[in-house]
Amino acid sequence: MSTTIIINPKYASISEFLHSIPSVFEHEGREIYNDRNIIKVIEAPDGTELNVKRYCVPKGPNRFVYSSGIRKPKGLRAFRYPLRMRALGIDTPEPIAYIEERSFGILGLSYFISQQCSYEHTLKDVGDAEPGTYEELAESLGRFTADMHDKRVLHRDFSPGNVLYHIDEDGDYHFSLVDINRMHFGPVGEKQGCLNFIRLWGPKHFIELLVRSYADARGYDSAKCVAFTLAARRRFWLSYGKKHRVLFKLEL
């Protein structure tokens, strides 16, 4: 088995520890997510909190696609994309390293390591929010998303757990994006931009305010954008519930 590691030069001082990640991952750190992939927070010797995401071994045709270079592995994209986004002023945790293991050239486990984001909230917190608690958040997120799309960047997995936020002492909202291996870099039109919101949950009024703020910031017809997004969101979640045979409480 061969191991390849790419390290952000800024973190050369912890290079030795980063090389050890595959061997210590199972028994070190605090697990914060476990599904197909596993995410842990591990502290480096210098005190840096690392967010370490271990990607599972690709299955089926994907193993050939990622191994052959037809498509870059998810972890490698997750390492490269933040550099482009941060250069544009779009916040996402700083990338630290990427590690991949191969056997006879076939991709096995891979790891993406970034700084652990200190933001306290994700959009999951809006699920059952009461009126009067989410208005400023919705409007701020709408403007943030509009700015991102104006910069020709679209997050293809714009979902509640992947949008983190912090409220500073002045009451201003700051956002950071995670799980960014699925990104589009290029023009983002009105329809494509509005469809970016359909995976979000929360009160219907929250979505309305969010889309209206977004449309105003981009110079679109806000009523048209809201109607289009709500209809598309309803279709998405009804289809999701039917496909996965789940019942969920969601204001559509």
Side-chain angles (χ1 to χ4, degrees):
M1 184 178 70
S2 63
T3 301
T4 300
I5 180 168
I6 304 172
I7 299 175
N8 182 337
K10 183 177 175 180
Y11 295 90
S13 61
I14 58 170
S15 173
E16 183 177 349
F17 181 75
L18 293 172
H19 276 83
S20 74
I21 290 293
S23 61
V24 305
F25 185 82
E26 287 291 346
H27 58 270
E28 284 198 17
R30 170 172 56 90
E31 186 175 279
I32 58 174
Y33 181 83
N34 189 335
D35 195 357
R36 288 178 303 169
N37 307 312
I38 299 174
I39 302 176
K40 284 188 170 185
V41 177
I42 301 176
E43 186 173 318
D46 67 350
T48 302
E49 274 202 320
L50 309 178
N51 182 290
V52 184
K53 182 172 185 176
R54 186 177 73 181
Y55 293 88
C56 65
V57 177
K59 292 181 173 57
N62 279 339
R63 199 163 191 194
F64 169 75
V65 169
Y66 291 132
S67 299
S68 64
I70 293 175
R71 194 174 186 203
K72 300 297 182 185
K74 292 181 179 179
L76 182 57
R77 283 179 273 143
F79 176 77
R80 290 178 172 173
Y81 289 166
L83 301 174
R84 298 178 65 176
M85 293 171 62
R86 290 168 67 90
L88 293 169
I90 302 168
D91 191 84
T92 187
E94 187 169 42
I96 293 175
Y98 168 68
I99 304 170
E100 66 176 34
E101 299 175 338
R102 291 179 180 253
S103 182
F104 301 103
I106 303 300
L107 182 65
L109 294 172
S110 57
Y111 303 79
F112 167 55
I113 304 158
S114 67
Q115 279 204 335
Q116 172 66 8
C117 183
S118 62
Y119 288 6
E120 313 93 327
H121 306 283
T122 73
L123 288 188
K124 289 182 178 181
D125 297 344
V126 189
D128 296 316
E130 295 292 330
T133 65
Y134 55 69
E135 286 79 3
E136 289 187 31
L137 169 61
E139 293 172 0
S140 296
L141 181 59
R143 292 191 295 269
F144 169 83
T145 311
D147 177 68
M148 178 171 65
H149 290 178
D150 283 342
K151 292 174 177 174
R152 301 163 62 94
V153 178
L154 181 139
H155 194 325
R156 292 186 181 276
D157 192 6
F158 203 63
S159 53
N162 293 339
V163 183
L164 285 64
Y165 68 93
H166 165 73
I167 310 171
D168 67 21
E169 295 178 350
D170 297 322
D172 295 326
Y173 285 80
H174 302 271
F175 299 94
S176 186
L177 304 177
V178 298
D179 203 1
I180 60 170
N181 64 79
R182 295 177 58 210
M183 303 297 293
H184 165 74
F185 294 93
V188 181
E190 180 177 355
K191 181 178 179 180
Q192 188 181 26
C194 291
L195 286 174
N196 206 200
F197 298 112
I198 65 174
R199 295 172 64 89
L200 300 182
W201 60 50
K204 184 177 180 181
H205 188 230
F206 170 79
I207 302 298
E208 291 173 341
L209 290 174
L210 168 62
V211 178
R212 186 173 297 119
S213 173
Y214 171 81
D216 288 344
R218 299 202 77 192
Y220 299 149
D221 182 324
S222 58
K224 176 183 174 183
C225 287
V226 169
F228 174 79
T229 303
L230 290 180
R233 180 172 174 267
R234 177 179 175 81
R235 289 193 298 270
F236 171 82
W237 283 107
L238 290 177
S239 174
Y240 181 93
K242 183 177 181 180
K243 180 179 179 180
H244 296 275
R245 298 181 180 181
V246 295
L247 295 174
F248 50 85
K249 181 181 177 181
L250 191 67
E251 189 181 2
L252 299 175

